Every structure is written in structure tokens, then in C-alpha cells.
Amino acid sequence: MKRNKIFILSTILIVTILTGCWDRMSIDRRAFVLAIGIDKFIFDEEKDDPNLNTHWTKFRVAFSIPNLPKLVGQQGVTEEPRYAKVSTGPTFSNTYKGLEGRINKTIYFGHTKAIVLGDELLKDKALFKEVLDIFLRNSEFSRSIPIVAIDGAAEDVVKVHPDMQPMIGMHITQLFENNQGETIRFEEKTLGELIKSLQEDKMAIIPQIHLGEKDIKIAGAAIIKDYELAGWLDDRQIKGILWIKKKNRRLEVSAPYKDFHVAYHVSSAKSKIRFNEDNGKLSCNIIIEAEGNLDEYILDESALDNKEIKKIEMAFEKVIKEEIRNSLRVLQEEYKADVIEIGKELERQDYKRWNKVKDNWEEEFQEMDFIIDIHVKIRRIGQAK
């Protein structure tokens, strides 16, 4: 009797352990999407089915899916390490559901590494808000996914095959990781940060991706105001913004000096923002203190003299000030967008003063005077022979 009880209990335990998850799915039945390119559908009579040319078709979405058998060394259906599949539909969900019917796999976004947004989508406020709503509702999308914008079609980015890393989603992620390393070149944006900025401030910047034949790069940014593309910033204007937003660590600065260009690598920097009010007129003082190395100078000339060092420092200070002034001019006059979060800084420092101007902040920001003080110190000049 006792032996029967032990046998029954052992059987129940083994069955329970080996049962597994009720909703498990074999890995070869999933299509792991590593990158998504989302565009507004614009009918192309050369490549699109004429039946798609209706008001129902709103999205064109490109999915980058790895060829798993190829990646693990098995013989795959194709020698390509990944597939780029495009689907169209009236909603985002409809596009990937439609794709599942074509590839006989279930789409999975839990490992998505990058999201690319096309410019025509960003110009359409309603469609852009629909896309953000999808990201909020679908729990498979991580808030830490890097997001980029392109002045063109996002589909083209998903289809490119970079030489160094054919997985385009991984490639974009690695560009973001490199940006946190030795030199910062652009302001990063994740899906969660984008949604938070738009919900709180109604404006945001998205790093811009540029497409080459065999590579891509991230430089500049798209300015989004009230869920709509307002315009683009170039990489020098982004540099000015990075100085203001206290993200100026490890920047590289080059400046004309005599008949050459000299290079400065910032090892550490501090940015301070102070506010003043004179006869009801609000002004902002931006103070930047930078230390770093003289990376490139003039062959056969010595930079050991203190007076010479001071002149070189002033050349770098002039360039940094020009970058910041140019960025402020574009934001105040052209886009009328406080994406540098001066308003938030005022709220943190002086809530009473912020309360006076917050309802009219866009106009206040446009009219604000900025005083810029730059202090550059060269600590090391490299090896002198």
C-alpha cells in the first residue's frame, strides 16, 4: 500500500515538472523582429499592387527578421543572414498579422533592437499618434528600444546591409552604445524617453539616421512639435544642444588657428544655467567650463608657451560659443521649440518665476536673451619632440 502511494506521488510530480508552459511555442515557429521601419503608405505604381491604392492602406512597415538556421550554422532556405519583409495595411497590427500569413511564423517583438520612423509618417500627426499608441499597448515593445528618424523612407534603412554588422537592428544598437563611449556625437532617444517627452512637453528630438550604400550613420535630429515633424537639425546644431543640456562629455572640437585646424578632445566639462530678470525681461546665462587635451596642433611649432596655449584656448572658446549661438538661433527663431528644456530648468531653480511665464512659455523662450560664457582649459598637449 505504501509503495503504491509513493508510485502515485512520483508520477504526479514527474508529470507536473515535465508539463512546461501552457503557451510555449517552438523557437522555429517564431519570427524575431530585430528592426522595424515604419512609413506612411504612399502608393508607388511601379512596385505596389493597384488594389492597395485606396484610403484604407495607411502603413507600409518593413520588418528585419534573422535567418536563424543560417546564424547557427545550419543550412537555411537562403544564404542571407536575415530577411527584410514589407507589409502594408490600415493599421500597424494589420501589417504584421498579414505578414504572419505569408511567412507561416508568429511575429515576436520582444527582441526588437531598433525602430526607424520615416519622414512622411512624422509629418502625419494622426498616424504618428497611432504608432505611439501601439507601442504603449503592446507589452512586447521594451521602453529601452533606440528610436531614430530618417529624412526619407524607413523601409530603405531596414533593407540596407551594413558591411560590419548585417543585422541592421543590432547595428543601430551598437551605434548607440558607441555614442556612450569615447565620444558623444548625438543625443540618444529611446522609445520610453520619446513618449515621455511628447506627453509632458509636446515636443522632442529624435536622432537622425543617414543611409549609405553599405553603411549608416547617426547625425543630426528631427524636431517633433505637437506630434508632428517641425524640421531637422544638423550635427553642428546638435553639438550646441549637447553643450547646453550638460551632455558635453567627451566632445571633440576643431577650430581654425593660423592657417590650420587644431583639435581638442574634452575630457570633462560642466554646464551651469542661471536666470536673471531685469525690468520684467528674463535672461539666461549659460556657463561652460571644459578641460581636455590638445589632440592636433601644427607640425614644427611648439605649444609649450603659456601665451600660445591661451590663444589656442580662445580659438576653441569661440567655436563652442558659435555652435551654441547657432543652435539657439534655430530653436528660437526657426522652430520656436524649447527642446533644450530651459523651461524645466527654470521651474527647478525658481518655481515662482516659472509660474509667471509658464502659460506663455513659447513666446517667452523666443524673446529670451542668452548670455554665453565659455572657459576652456588645455591640460595636456601630447608628446612634444
Side-chain angles (χ1 to χ4, degrees), residues 126-383:
L127 286 189
F128 184 36
K129 291 181 84 170
E130 280 185 37
V131 169
L132 295 178
D133 183 75
I134 293 157
F135 292 145
L136 280 172
R137 292 180 188 280
N138 191 328
S139 59
E140 289 182 2
F141 288 105
S142 165
R143 295 294 182 270
S144 62
I145 299 175
I147 194 160
V148 293
I150 183 169
D151 188 5
E155 174 187 351
D156 295 338
V157 178
V158 173
K159 288 181 175 177
V160 76
H161 285 70
D163 288 333
M164 304 297 288
Q165 170 54 277
M167 299 294 169
I168 187 67
M170 302 291 293
H171 192 66
I172 293 173
T173 298
Q174 289 164 0
L175 290 178
F176 271 68
E177 291 171 354
N178 286 346
N179 189 57
Q180 298 173 352
E182 184 64 16
T183 300
I184 185 168
R185 296 180 180 85
F186 54 86
E187 183 175 20
E188 300 171 11
K189 190 69 67 177
T190 63
L191 175 60
E193 290 168 341
L194 174 66
I195 292 173
K196 182 181 178 186
S197 295
L198 290 173
Q199 287 179 334
E200 291 182 356
D201 307 324
K202 303 294 183 188
M203 62 181 70
I205 59 176
I206 305 174
Q208 182 182 3
I209 193 165
H210 298 262
L211 196 58
E213 188 175 344
K214 285 289 184 180
D215 63 0
I216 57 173
K217 74 170 185 177
I218 300 177
I223 290 190
I224 308 296
K225 276 186 73 177
D226 194 19
Y227 298 95
E228 196 171 4
L229 178 67
W232 301 91
L233 296 169
D234 62 31
D235 52 348
R236 284 185 64 82
Q237 290 161 347
I238 284 295
K239 267 188 164 184
I241 288 176
L242 292 173
W243 285 109
I244 298 169
K245 294 186 74 173
K246 306 178 183 181
K247 294 182 177 178
N248 40 20
R249 307 177 310 279
R250 301 181 297 275
L251 275 178
E252 289 179 346
V253 183
S254 60
Y257 187 70
K258 298 181 179 178
D259 293 329
F260 300 88
H261 268 73
V262 291
Y264 178 65
H265 185 84
V266 180
S267 57
S268 66
K270 296 177 183 176
S271 297
K272 299 175 185 173
I273 294 176
R274 298 287 182 265
F275 296 95
N276 294 297
E277 190 170 349
D278 186 15
N279 293 325
K281 174 75 173 175
L282 198 59
S283 64
C284 178
N285 186 195
I286 298 173
I287 306 155
I288 292 169
E289 298 172 351
E291 292 186 3
N293 309 332
L294 183 63
D295 271 1
E296 294 180 35
Y297 189 55
I298 305 168
L299 184 67
D300 296 331
E301 287 202 17
S302 172
L304 294 175
D305 182 75
N306 286 337
K307 290 183 179 177
E308 187 70 10
I309 290 288
K310 185 61 184 173
K311 289 179 183 175
I312 303 169
E313 289 173 343
M314 290 173 66
F316 290 125
E317 288 172 357
K318 182 180 178 183
V319 168
I320 295 171
K321 186 177 285 190
E322 285 175 355
E323 286 178 347
I324 294 174
R325 284 218 176 278
N326 183 41
S327 301
L328 288 170
R329 180 192 59 77
V330 172
L331 296 180
Q332 286 184 289
E333 299 176 10
E334 192 171 336
Y335 297 125
K336 302 173 179 55
D338 177 21
V339 292
I340 49 180
E341 300 180 346
I342 293 295
K344 281 190 173 178
E345 189 67 33
L346 176 62
E347 183 181 12
R348 278 193 289 268
Q349 293 188 22
D350 192 338
Y351 188 72
K352 285 185 178 178
R353 193 174 290 173
W354 167 249
N355 257 342
K356 292 180 185 176
V357 298
K358 67 178 182 181
D359 294 332
N360 198 33
W361 179 242
E362 186 170 310
E363 288 74 17
E364 288 284 345
F365 176 70
Q366 291 174 55
E367 299 297 327
M368 180 175 283
D369 291 330
F370 284 91
I371 301 141
I372 303 166
D373 293 319
I374 311 293
H375 306 282
V376 166
K377 290 293 179 188
I378 295 174
R379 295 302 185 193
R380 288 164 289 277
I381 61 170
Q383 185 175 354

